Amino acid sequence: MADGAGEIWFYHLERSTLDQVLPDLLDRTLQRGWRARVRVADTDQRRDIDERLWSWRPDSFLAHGQADEPHAERQPILLTADHANLNGSQALFIVDGSDMSLKEEFERCFIIFDGRDETALAVARRRWKTLKDQGANLAYWKQSDEGRWEKAA
């Protein structure tokens, strides 16, 4: 893993929900051979994500754990509220506007926000501007009319 931050990809949800998008992105991350951290400050939302990952598909689940549970370092996907990289992850997922820093280590950070929520949209815009001003390596992805992800910036 490189020192400091890598790529930061913004995912603008317009047609899908977080519950529909996050498991697929996490699955692709694991297929790449990476571990993942999902930072969620809200305890209830973290619990909902936890349940969703166990029942992602009728025939499979995404193995994961919580940072405050035993053996956090073994988890391929770790749900957390803080900045510690207990599982040595390469991918960081920010799903609720949680704080992040360019000093954190990650190969790729996914900032996923609901474009139908004006508050979330405003937070994402401010974050994009701040990160761009800091020289971050940014990409912006949005959903096409067909539901596919297209790189828009």
Side-chain angles (χ1 to χ4, degrees):
M1 184 168 9
D3 277 346
E7 300 172 311
I8 301 172
W9 290 5
F10 283 70
Y11 275 77
H12 185 158
L13 301 179
E14 294 178 295
R15 290 166 183 74
S16 301
T17 65
L18 179 65
D19 283 349
Q20 295 167 319
V21 171
L22 182 61
D24 186 52
L25 290 173
L26 288 169
D27 186 48
R28 290 175 190 223
T29 297
L30 296 179
Q31 288 177 24
R32 186 179 187 120
W34 287 358
R35 289 177 170 234
R37 273 177 296 156
V38 181
R39 185 171 303 141
V40 186
D42 182 83
T43 304
D44 291 335
Q45 187 178 18
R46 199 167 47 253
R47 185 175 28 252
D48 291 345
I49 291 170
D50 180 35
E51 290 175 17
R52 177 71 176 133
L53 296 181
W54 285 125
S55 60
W56 174 45
R57 290 185 178 153
D59 60 343
S60 72
F61 62 91
L62 288 168
H64 66 283
Q66 302 269 354
D68 59 356
E69 294 176 349
H71 310 295
E73 72 281 356
R74 295 183 187 173
Q75 300 301 328
I77 299 170
L78 190 64
L79 306 180
T80 185
D82 61 36
H83 290 260
N85 189 359
L86 299 175
N87 68 338
S89 63
Q90 294 85 8
L92 170 62
F93 289 79
I94 306 286
V95 300
D96 67 349
S98 291
D99 192 28
M100 58 140 331
S101 166
L102 288 180
K103 294 183 176 160
E104 287 186 79
E105 289 190 18
F106 54 79
E107 294 292 326
R108 186 168 298 143
C109 177
F110 299 81
I111 298 174
I112 304 170
F113 64 97
D114 186 347
R116 297 159 296 206
D117 178 327
E118 286 301 319
T119 302
L121 191 56
V123 168
R125 286 178 177 150
R126 282 192 305 272
R127 179 170 272 171
W128 175 276
K129 182 180 180 337
T130 299
L131 291 168
K132 185 173 178 99
D133 290 348
Q134 293 174 357
N137 182 5
L138 303 175
Y140 173 80
W141 297 81
K142 68 178 194 167
Q143 290 177 297
S144 69
D145 291 336
E146 298 81 35
R148 284 188 245 140
W149 290 103
E150 296 177 342
K151 191 172 183 179

